[in-house]
Amino acid sequence: MKENRKVRVADSVRGFTLPRYDEIPNVGLYLEQTAKYISEYLDCLGDFTLTRSMISNYVKKGLITNPVKKQYDREQIAYLIFIAVAKNVLSMEDIRLLVAQQRKTYTPAVAYDYFRLELENVLFYVFGLKENLDTVGVDDTQEKDMLRSTIITVAHKVYLDKYFEVLHHEEEEEKAEAGK
C-alpha cells in the first residue's frame, strides 16, 4: 500500500512542465484569458490558481506593470506564473523584494527560465522522479539561492499536500468499504 501511495503521489506531477519564456503568448491576453492560461499550467500542483481580482491587485501593488489596452504580454504573464507559485510560501512583500532583486540581476527572460527549470528540477527531485538536483544556470548569485530556497519550500508543500490528499482518499475508501 505504501509503495502504491508513493507512486500515486509521484504520478500527480509526472509530466509537469511550464512553457519556456519564448513560448508564452506575446500577442496580449485579456485578464480572463491570462488567469485561465496560468491556472491550466499550474493545475496539477494544487490550489495555485490566480483569479482576475488577484491579478488586478498585483497590478495595483506594482508587482507587475499595467496591461496595455487591457492585455497582458509575455513578461507580465511570466511574472504572474512566478507569483502564483511563490505566493504559497512567501508574503507579497517578500515576493516584491525578490522580484526587485531579480530585476537588478537578470532580464525577465533569463529570470523566468531559471525559475521554470528550477521548479521542474526541484519538484521532480522532491517527488522522487529523479535522483539528484541539477545545477541550473551558469552563475552563482544570492538571487538564485533565494529562488531555489523558495522553490524547495514550494515543492515540499506541494508534496505534503499531494500526500495528504492520497491519505484522505484512502481513508474515504476504507470508510466506504467498512460501511458495506
Side-chain angles (χ1 to χ4, degrees), residues 1-21:
M1 185 74 123
K2 286 184 181 180
E3 186 60 35
N4 183 28
R5 188 180 297 146
K6 189 175 182 177
V7 169
R8 288 172 59 192
V9 171
D11 283 348
S12 68
V13 297
R14 191 181 309 276
F16 171 79
T17 187
L18 288 175
R20 291 190 317 262
Y21 186 80

Side-chain angles (χ1 to χ4, degrees), residues 62-82:
L63 287 170
I64 62 168
T65 58
N66 286 317
V68 176
K69 297 181 183 176
K70 298 184 180 185
Q71 294 180 331
Y72 295 83
D73 64 18
R74 178 178 292 143
E75 183 178 320
Q76 292 164 313
I77 294 168
Y79 279 117
L80 285 167
I81 292 170
F82 170 73

Side-chain angles (χ1 to χ4, degrees), residues 85-98:
V85 170
K87 73 179 177 65
N88 289 278
V89 297
L90 297 178
S91 69
M92 282 302 127
E93 179 59 20
D94 289 347
I95 291 172
R96 185 192 65 72
L97 286 171
L98 187 57

Side-chain angles (χ1 to χ4, degrees), residues 9 11 27 37 41 61 65 76 115 126 141 143:
V9 171
D11 283 348
V27 294
Y37 177 82
Y41 272 102
K61 292 180 180 189
T65 58
Q76 292 164 313
F115 159 70
V126 167
T141 64
E143 291 78 13

Side-chain angles (χ1 to χ4, degrees), residues 37-60:
Y37 177 82
I38 294 168
S39 294
E40 285 176 358
Y41 272 102
L42 300 176
D43 185 52
C44 78
L45 299 181
D47 188 21
F48 282 62
T49 57
L50 287 182
T51 64
R52 295 179 330 195
S53 63
M54 291 166 81
I55 293 171
S56 295
N57 283 333
Y58 300 150
V59 171
K60 288 177 190 169

Side-chain angles (χ1 to χ4, degrees), residues 117-129:
L117 289 169
E118 193 70 275
L119 180 60
E120 293 169 10
N121 178 35
V122 172
L123 197 64
F124 294 156
Y125 173 75
V126 167
F127 276 73
L129 297 172

